[in-house]
Amino acid sequence: IGALDKSVIESELQGSFTDLRKALFVVDGKDSPLLASAQSLLRWHDSHQYCSKTGQPTEKNPAGSKRVCHASGVTYYPQMSPVVITLVSDGSRCLLARQPSFPPGMFTALSGFCDMGENVEEAVRREVAEEVGLEVESLRYSASQHWPFLSSSLMIACHALVGAQRAEISMDTLELEEARWFGLEEIVEGLKREPSSSKQDDGSFLPWFPPKQAIAHQLIREWLQQQTA
């Protein structure tokens, strides 16, 4: 919206601006990829205004698809970082976790950036071992999704199976606030629950899961369908 005043726009349209993550609970499947792409591109332009080689200002092309340093001739294109997101299961339960920065009560699948030189399988095994201390026996690819948080990422979604006899969680407390196993009934109830209805009378929060537009939600639903098939 450029230099337009946000409060004036909110008053005129009788609405309010919100964080894109919250908006994913209300927008449909057609709008969410467009909003995510737009936010990523705007953030990229904002953080790449100078050439890393010369320090001189870069200039974007009319389409906004790249930036050019005229002093060096270097052209910069938006890039995405590969991230693995993995739903771990021991056969009858699935493992979900939360970080301290998450909204109260929200649990999701494990995720982490791929290290330089890693393939997807290696990244999944390493992340699961580092974050919850479990050894992946087998894994399978599910789907992928562009994700604009915190920077532009390509989320590569997988299901990972661990041995039921070796399913004791050893959590990385620097990364995670909580990680635990969820049974079938808990998953069914959590998928029905909205963030606004998760708070209990004693101030604690019942578990709820990412919005349907997030690939973590898809992983959880796929696991549920497999269990009930």
Side-chain angles (χ1 to χ4, degrees):
I1 61 174
L4 297 174
D5 187 85
K6 286 174 63 176
S7 61
V8 173
I9 296 174
E10 289 178 329
S11 177
E12 179 69 24
L13 299 180
Q14 298 182 346
S16 61
F17 287 95
T18 187
D19 182 83
L20 181 56
R21 277 181 255 222
K22 295 179 181 178
L24 291 178
F25 281 98
V26 294
V27 299
D28 61 29
K30 293 186 302 179
D31 292 332
S32 57
L34 181 61
L35 289 169
S37 298
Q39 186 176 78
S40 293
L41 195 57
L42 287 169
R43 284 180 172 173
W44 180 79
H45 280 295
D46 186 55
S47 61
H48 287 76
Q49 296 183 37
Y50 295 92
C51 176
S52 60
K53 185 176 182 180
T54 66
Q56 296 299 308
T58 57
E59 184 177 329
K60 69 176 180 178
N61 66 333
S65 60
K66 62 184 179 181
R67 298 189 73 90
V68 178
C69 173
H70 295 293
S72 65
V74 175
T75 300
Y76 294 92
Y77 296 94
Q79 295 181 330
M80 293 193 299
S81 301
V83 174
V84 291
I85 180 165
T86 309
L87 188 66
V88 177
S89 174
D90 69 351
S92 61
R93 303 173 297 174
C94 67
L95 188 151
L96 298 173
R98 55 175 284 105
Q99 296 178 358
S101 60
F102 285 4
M106 194 192 88
F107 283 79
T108 188
L110 301 177
S111 63
F113 288 94
C114 294
D115 281 348
M116 186 68 70
E118 277 187 329
N119 60 33
V120 171
E121 294 83 355
E122 291 168 340
V124 167
R125 296 179 189 279
R126 176 183 54 77
E127 282 293 333
V128 173
E130 288 178 354
E131 294 193 3
V132 291
L134 298 176
E135 182 178 347
V136 173
E137 293 186 346
S138 63
L139 62 94
R140 62 182 176 87
Y141 169 79
S142 171
S144 62
Q145 177 188 39
H146 169 247
W147 195 243
F149 315 107
L150 293 169
S151 58
S152 186
S153 302
L154 177 64
M155 305 293 287
I156 304 165
C158 300
H159 291 274
L161 184 67
V162 299
Q165 304 303 317
R166 294 179 290 175
E168 183 177 349
I169 297 171
S170 177
M171 188 179 72
D172 179 1
T173 55
L174 295 177
E175 285 279 336
L176 303 176
E177 181 180 79
E178 186 176 358
R180 67 180 183 88
W181 292 105
F182 285 77
L184 183 61
E185 291 185 6
E186 288 181 291
I187 293 296
V188 171
E189 291 302 314
L191 286 170
K192 295 177 183 177
R193 194 172 292 124
E194 295 288 337
S196 57
S197 62
S198 66
K199 189 173 183 178
Q200 301 186 93
D201 293 337
D202 62 0
S204 62
F205 289 84
L206 294 168
W208 56 275
F209 308 138
K212 61 182 180 180
Q213 309 301 348
I215 203 164
H217 186 102
Q218 177 180 324
L219 283 173
I220 295 169
R221 283 214 172 269
E222 286 176 348
W223 181 85
L224 177 61
Q225 290 167 1
Q226 184 182 28
Q227 295 298 306
T228 55

